[in-house]
Amino acid sequence: LGRAKAAMMNIEDNQDLVDFLKTLLEQELFTDALAGIAKQATSKGIESLSERQRDVVDKFIENYKNRNVCEKCSNGNVSSLSDYIRMSEIGLCPMCEYDKERLMEE
Ligand SMILES: [Zn+2]
């Protein structure tokens, strides 16, 4: 990653995280405690979370990543949290899915 790209991704990070939490809320994948934190994060922003709440979220994300590993690239191509959601549905990250579809068309 170039430095400019890395900086840009940092800014986008929070939005990515909010979208991720919002989707999982809709899928009702959270425990009560996590659902409460996720609701706060999506309505008031990630910045509104306390350090402890943020820890709970980080731990959940870590587990989620460990559970959802792309069968083709082992998450080497994964660039955002929403990629993991797609992966939980089809077992491939979006980039590998794209590659696969392109191969099938040829
Ligand atoms: Zn992949």
Side-chain angles (χ1 to χ4, degrees):
L1 278 184
R3 192 172 293 179
K5 177 108 189 274
M8 201 173 76
M9 281 179 71
N10 262 337
I11 299 168
E12 285 173 358
D13 247 15
N14 275 357
Q15 191 53 47
D16 186 34
L17 182 52
V18 168
D19 289 344
F20 175 78
L21 293 174
K22 207 179 275 180
T23 305
L24 292 191
L25 261 180
E26 283 161 8
Q27 295 180 348
E28 297 183 348
L29 276 176
F30 289 135
T31 59
D32 286 350
L34 259 166
I37 296 172
K39 275 177 197 154
Q40 183 184 326
T42 52
S43 62
K44 295 180 186 163
I46 299 292
E47 311 77 34
S48 76
L49 298 183
S50 69
E51 214 163 291
R52 223 178 118 230
Q53 288 174 316
R54 191 59 210 251
D55 275 353
V56 175
V57 172
D58 284 346
K59 206 157 282 173
F60 175 85
I61 290 174
E62 207 179 298
N63 285 331
Y64 195 84
K65 285 180 178 176
N66 288 336
R67 275 206 311 272
N68 297 292
V69 179
C70 177
E71 53 195 46
K72 210 171 149 207
C73 70
S74 304
N75 295 354
N77 289 336
V78 174
S79 59
S80 76
L81 285 170
S82 40
D83 287 356
Y84 287 99
I85 294 174
R86 184 77 184 128
M87 216 186 312
S88 74
E89 291 161 1
I90 60 168
L92 285 173
C93 72
M95 200 180 280
C96 291
E97 183 193 15
Y98 176 78
D99 280 350
K100 195 176 156 191
E101 276 173 6
R102 215 181 39 188
L103 278 177
M104 275 159 52
E105 277 169 16
E106 276 169 7

